[in-house]
Amino acid sequence: MSRLAVILLGPPGAGKGTQGRQLSSEFGYPSISTGDILREAVRNQTDLGKEARQHMDKGGLVPDGLVDAIVRDRLTRADCRRGFILDGYPRTVNQAEFLRREYAGEGMQFLAIGVQVRDEVLVKRLTGRRSCPQCGRIYHVDTSPSRKGDCCEECDSALIQRKDDTVEVVRERLQVYHQSTRPLIQYYRDSGAYAEIPGEGSVEDIYRSLRSVVQEQIAGRSS
Ligand code: AP5
């Protein structure tokens, strides 16, 4: 049976993490966030973390070679056997080419899903985001606050604000997205593996659209 790689493609703050977690719990594919893996390396002060931090704090991209190696390593784990969800990777055409080459001839189905949100909405979402460093749950101070105030509802850890969620760094991240990542929409369109969903509206409505695109792909695959 072929495997499915769902690629959540969208600007910073589009809701890739929020939606990816839900998709993962319903469909059983692991949701792999390169941002989360890099942040863990930064916290642990590994060599990778030290190098990555210089780029992340300024809102730039970590060099392709480093991120490709992380992804290659993560995708060899047993939980990826049936497929996986990628949140935040690929982010450049070179990364997309790397991913394609990794699975060439293996019957991997790719489905890139573009989540569309206007820049001004993204800035509000990111500057109000709070996240749990322990379990990864994502909150927003206005639209989805924790019922436990500054602590995570699920594991009671103190919530944090990401260093790259300041207005200045968010603006830079958006610029980097438009320049380096947006071209992937055309890349996946050209390969017939692209679907688009609106990213504004309630988390539940967006999830319904996302779910139906994934279900259609799975149904098409097995028919
Ligand atoms: P990464 O962690 O991947 O960040 P990002 O892509 O910028 O995306 P975010 O995590 O900020 O947003 P999201 O789309 O997941 O939104 P979320 O669900 O949290 O990358 C960080 C950095 O790591 C990069 O800048 C780069 O330096 C480096 N990096 C990572 N991958 C790399 C790669 N492949 N190559 C090179 N460098 C890489 O939601 C955001 C907020 O909005 C939350 O508060 C949430 O509650 C709220 N929200 C979500 N949905 C809704 C809704 N429908 N309505 C209202 N609010 C909502």
Side-chain angles (χ1 to χ4, degrees):
M1 197 176 86
S2 62
R3 301 147 76 196
L4 178 62
V6 176
I7 296 166
L8 296 177
L9 196 58
K16 304 183 295 297
T18 304
Q19 300 291 342
R21 284 167 66 85
Q22 211 166 327
L23 203 59
S24 172
S25 68
E26 179 171 352
F27 288 85
Y29 299 122
S31 182
I32 298 165
S33 157
T34 42
D36 284 349
I37 296 172
L38 290 166
R39 276 184 291 280
E40 195 185 342
V42 170
R43 270 197 305 278
N44 294 334
Q45 298 186 28
T46 62
D47 289 344
L48 166 70
K50 286 178 195 157
E51 163 79 26
R53 187 182 182 164
Q54 298 172 31
H55 305 278
M56 295 170 81
D57 283 356
K58 289 187 276 189
L61 293 181
V62 174
D64 289 338
L66 290 180
V67 187
D68 290 341
I70 292 173
V71 170
R72 171 183 271 160
D73 179 57
R74 178 63 184 87
L75 297 185
T76 56
R77 291 207 206 150
D79 62 346
C80 295
R81 217 172 285 143
R82 284 176 52 237
F84 44 83
I85 301 162
L86 289 172
D87 158 7
Y89 182 92
R91 247 175 159 99
T92 63
V93 171
N94 283 338
Q95 292 179 11
E97 281 289 299
F98 175 84
L99 186 64
R100 189 186 57 75
R101 282 196 305 273
E102 283 290 288
Y103 288 97
E106 288 192 27
M108 172 66 80
Q109 299 263 337
F110 287 97
L111 173 63
I113 305 176
V115 187
Q116 295 303 315
V117 182
R118 289 166 298 158
D119 281 9
E120 60 270 30
V121 176
L122 296 169
V123 175
K124 284 198 189 121
R125 283 189 186 178
L126 291 172
T127 50
R129 170 169 56 190
R130 299 292 181 271
S131 35
C132 175
Q134 196 59 39
C135 72
R137 181 151 171 193
I138 302 161
Y139 300 88
H140 189 279
V141 288
D142 299 321
T143 56
S144 52
S146 167
R147 284 194 302 269
K148 293 188 177 170
D150 292 336
C151 292
C152 179
E153 284 173 17
E154 280 175 34
C155 67
D156 286 327
S157 301
L159 299 179
I160 54 158
Q161 179 168 26
R162 272 171 47 178
K163 271 194 167 164
D164 59 351
D165 277 349
T166 60
V167 178
E168 300 73 30
V169 181
V170 165
R171 296 257 176 239
E172 176 60 22
R173 287 162 63 198
L174 288 174
Q175 205 173 327
V176 169
Y177 167 78
H178 288 292
Q179 192 179 330
S180 304
T181 309
R182 235 186 114 76
L184 288 179
I185 294 179
Q186 197 56 45
Y187 176 93
Y188 283 110
R189 255 198 194 118
D190 290 345
S191 60
Y194 182 74
E196 200 160 275
I197 59 166
E200 292 184 37
S202 73
V203 170
E204 294 73 25
D205 284 347
I206 295 162
Y207 184 69
R208 265 190 284 278
S209 310
L210 177 62
R211 180 178 196 265
S212 86
V213 169
V214 173
Q215 272 175 332
E216 258 174 50
Q217 177 79 17
I218 292 172
R221 213 171 37 142
S222 57
S223 63

